[in-house]
Amino acid sequence: MSDQVLPSTLISNFDEQYYLKLPQIFYKSAKTYLDNKEIKKIQKAYTFAFYSHDGQQRRDGSKYITHPVEVAQILLDLRMDPDTICAALMHDVLEDCDVNKNNLVKLFGEDVAEIVDGVSKLGKLDINARIDADANNLQKMMLAMSKDVRVVLVKICDRLHNMRTIEHLPRSKQIKKSKETIDLYGPLALRIGMQDIRSELEDLAFRCIHPLRASMLESAIKKSSGGRKRIVTKIRKELKKHLKANNIQKVSVKGREKNIYSIYRKIKSKHKPFSEILDVYGFRILVDSIDDCYRALGIIHNYFSPIENRFKDYIAIPKSNGYQALHTSLLALNAFPIEVQIQTRSMSEIASFGIAAHWQYKTKDSDDNSELRATRWLSGLVDLQKKTRSPKEFAQSVKTDLDSNEVFLFSPKGDVYALRRGSTPIDFAYEVHTDLGDSIVGCKVNRSEVPLNIELETGQTVEVITSNTKSDVDPSWLNYVVTSKARSAIRSKLRKQKTSDARKAGKIMLETELKRGGKSLKEYRGGALKKILDSIGVTSLNKLLTDLGLGKRTGSIIAERFYSGLQIREGIEEPKPVLIVDNKIESVTVRFAKCCLPVHGDRVVAHSDTERGMVIHHKKCKQVAPFIKKDARYMPAIWGENKNDHVYKVNIDVNTKDKVGVLSDLGSVFARSGINIGSVNTKTIDKKFAGFKIEIEVEDKQELRAIMQKVRAQKFTTSCKRNINEK
Ligand code: MN
């Protein structure tokens, strides 16, 4: 194919004979784990990227295509799947070239197109705005926006290559990019567990911002490393000798290198002199099985004296990014404080490469996989226990994991706010400032006007329109706000109204709600009205309207009572249960009480709580049980469909015989059933028994029953009960 072919011709006439040859090193790496068909696809992506960037240059004068090739090379070294490699090669084509997403879908399929599109979208975020205050929210937002975690992977590798070549940028941009890297990309890499890339990103950025400090630190490390080396070698040999003597096979002991930025950070944050920080010697012991980890721990505690309170078991309870290891601190050879991490080899791989290690494409033996899978349980971000057999399945499971319960929104100034999912412009306004909420009259999302009751989505820019003349809040807002901040602010504002104003507002609100069901307040009279008022628990209609206006009750739910009252009219005492569909009652989003954690299928009660809106409790929960029959704000509720596949948190108490590794055995019972674990609290009952309070996530009561049965069936289990906060 000649150099004159333009991308447009390419798109319509993309024949294999025109594919360009891959750069040689690149081809060699691909060849190590991909088959010919996969390499052909990568070749196609390379060709497409090559012609798309034709004529463009990097700042150092090289052809632009060298950049995406380098980015893809990093991902090849991590043995990522072919779609990620294709996307990496084309990650900048939507930005800079005459190409759109549809072209990519047609030529490379949805997955590749989505990743490229996601990377471009992240690139467009103006993340420089207020990065200090909101770095954590920004990270979460980037994850939420990415949907597919491979987007974040490509983006991080893109940043890594840009940092490696940062000397070609003007100084002011170097500083800006480096700060962003330390504040955002480093932590983001850590969040998805990529320790090695995080270290490199931080060191590159640190060297760029503080070249002098970095070189001083480096030469100090070098100077001290002579005597250091001797000690490290001695301790290393000692450790290894004892482990081998006690029959731990295939053990390796390494001295741990710290990256310079982490040393710098320690000096700054702990106000300790350099010598003291360097004087702690780090070791990593790698063994073959989890069993050996615990045995190795026992052995070294026998020979060296442990430093009190420094032991941590991240195998039984991994960190939220999936990191697993045993940590302990000891005094070696009676003189040197040492920090030891004990891991299996696959744990160490995951710690270095994070999510990419989970992705590793076509690993040869499946032996490793069982352990991999076992280590995955409870990894907070990437819930991998859904037995990921192929990258595709994995992508699917990661997609749902990145779906957070929060939405991330921009103010016009670029501040980022995290709000509960389901939030409306009113929630947003109150989140920013109470005054802003009180005076909101309209709202623009991404510059076009929207109604105040729409659900906001991650990534949107929300501009609140206010009016100086308006002073009243609308009680009907209580029907659709979801944050407690907005709810209590609205209520406190409503309470300050005159009673007559409140009554008027309440009447308008109820009429509006009734009108939606084709009814009017006039249709309710005499005995029928009395019955409805009784069932609600108020003495008069005026009182009810005032309550509504003051925000003490929720309009749509009262309207529901009126509808059912009209249908029944006579003779029925029991109030009609409210229906929970898709976690809403009428249009009001409900909350699930934290005290009893009800799940779909439980017998439940809806509590119209003045502060928090509709809260669903288990019928036996001691918070509500005494009031059910007495107070009309407690209504029986029944479950409708759960269309959004909402998962429900529930607490279970498990008692077991106490033995080494019992928590990890217990964990694998949940992992095998694909049940996610939220948190674990351990209490030792006595020498022989241990108790765990475990929060798990289930779809419904049936799934809960099944998993509890499995737990009970374990030999080590002595009891397993659900905790619903009963009396
Ligand atoms: Mn790029």
Side-chain angles (χ1 to χ4, degrees), residues 58 64 67-68 71 88 91-92 96 119 155 158-159 161-162:
R58 299 210 87 207
Y64 194 86
H67 164 64
V71 174
H91 79 266
D92 279 329
D96 314 326
V119 175
K155 188 72 204 165
D158 177 35
R159 174 51 61 109
H161 183 243
N162 285 333

Coordinates of all heavy atoms in Angstrom, one line a residue, residues 58 64 67-68 71 88 91-92 96 119 155 158-159 161-162, ligand 1:
R58 N 5.3 14.2 17.0 CA 5.4 14.5 18.4 C 6.4 15.7 18.6 O 7.0 16.1 17.7 CB 6.0 13.2 19.1 CG 5.2 12.0 19.0 CD 5.4 11.1 20.2 NE 4.5 11.5 21.3 CZ 4.7 11.4 22.6 NH1 5.8 10.9 23.0 NH2 3.8 11.7 23.5
Y64 N 4.2 10.7 15.0 CA 3.3 10.5 16.1 C 3.0 9.1 16.4 O 2.8 8.7 17.6 CB 1.9 11.2 15.8 CG 1.1 11.4 17.0 CD1 1.3 12.4 17.8 CD2 0.2 10.4 17.4 CE1 0.6 12.6 19.0 CE2 -0.5 10.5 18.6 CZ -0.3 11.6 19.4 OH -1.0 11.7 20.6
H67 N 4.2 7.0 19.5 CA 3.6 7.1 20.9 C 2.6 6.0 21.1 O 2.7 5.2 22.1 CB 3.0 8.5 21.1 CG 2.0 8.6 22.2 ND1 2.4 8.4 23.5 CD2 0.7 8.8 22.3 CE1 1.3 8.5 24.3 NE2 0.3 8.8 23.6
P68 N 1.5 5.9 20.3 CA 0.6 4.8 20.5 C 1.3 3.4 20.5 O 0.9 2.5 21.2 CB -0.5 4.9 19.4 CG 0.0 6.0 18.5 CD 1.0 6.8 19.2
V71 N 2.8 2.9 23.9 CA 1.7 2.6 24.9 C 1.2 1.2 24.8 O 1.1 0.5 25.8 CB 0.5 3.6 24.7 CG1 -0.6 3.2 25.6 CG2 1.0 5.0 25.0
A88 N -5.2 0.5 22.4 CA -4.1 1.3 22.7 C -3.4 1.9 21.5 O -3.0 3.1 21.5 CB -3.1 0.5 23.5
H91 N -5.6 4.8 20.4 CA -6.3 5.6 21.5 C -6.4 7.1 21.2 O -7.2 7.7 21.8 CB -5.6 5.3 22.9 CG -4.3 6.0 23.1 ND1 -3.1 5.5 22.8 CD2 -4.0 7.3 23.5 CE1 -2.1 6.3 23.0 NE2 -2.7 7.5 23.5
D92 N -5.6 7.6 20.3 CA -5.6 9.0 20.0 C -6.3 9.3 18.7 O -6.4 10.5 18.3 CB -4.2 9.6 20.0 CG -3.7 9.9 21.4 OD1 -4.6 10.2 22.3 OD2 -2.5 9.8 21.7
D96 N -7.5 13.3 17.4 CA -6.7 14.2 16.5 C -7.0 13.9 15.0 O -6.4 14.6 14.2 CB -5.2 13.9 16.7 CG -4.8 13.9 18.2 OD1 -5.5 14.7 18.9 OD2 -4.0 13.1 18.6
V119 N -11.3 6.3 26.5 CA -10.0 6.9 26.7 C -10.1 8.4 26.3 O -9.6 9.3 26.9 CB -8.8 6.2 26.0 CG1 -7.5 6.9 26.2 CG2 -8.7 4.8 26.6
K155 N -5.4 4.3 29.7 CA -5.2 5.7 30.0 C -4.0 5.8 30.9 O -3.1 6.8 30.8 CB -6.4 6.3 30.8 CG -6.4 7.7 31.1 CD -6.6 8.6 29.8 CE -6.0 10.0 30.0 NZ -5.8 10.7 28.8
D158 N -0.9 5.3 28.8 CA -0.8 6.5 28.0 C 0.0 7.6 28.8 O 1.0 8.1 28.4 CB -2.2 7.0 27.6 CG -2.1 8.3 26.8 OD1 -1.2 8.5 26.0 OD2 -3.0 9.2 27.0
R159 N -0.4 7.8 30.0 CA 0.2 8.7 30.9 C 1.7 8.3 31.2 O 2.6 9.1 31.2 CB -0.6 8.9 32.2 CG 0.0 9.8 33.3 CD 0.5 11.1 32.8 NE -0.6 11.9 32.2 CZ -1.1 13.0 32.8 NH1 -0.6 13.4 33.9 NH2 -2.0 13.7 32.2
H161 N 3.8 6.6 29.3 CA 4.6 7.0 28.2 C 4.9 8.5 28.1 O 6.0 8.9 27.8 CB 4.1 6.4 26.9 CG 5.1 6.7 25.8 ND1 4.8 7.4 24.7 CD2 6.4 6.3 25.6 CE1 5.8 7.5 23.9 NE2 6.8 6.8 24.4
N162 N 3.8 9.2 28.3 CA 4.0 10.7 28.3 C 4.9 11.2 29.4 O 5.7 12.1 29.1 CB 2.6 11.4 28.4 CG 1.8 11.3 27.1 OD1 2.4 11.2 26.0 ND2 0.5 11.3 27.3
Ligands
MN1 MN -1.8 9.4 24.0

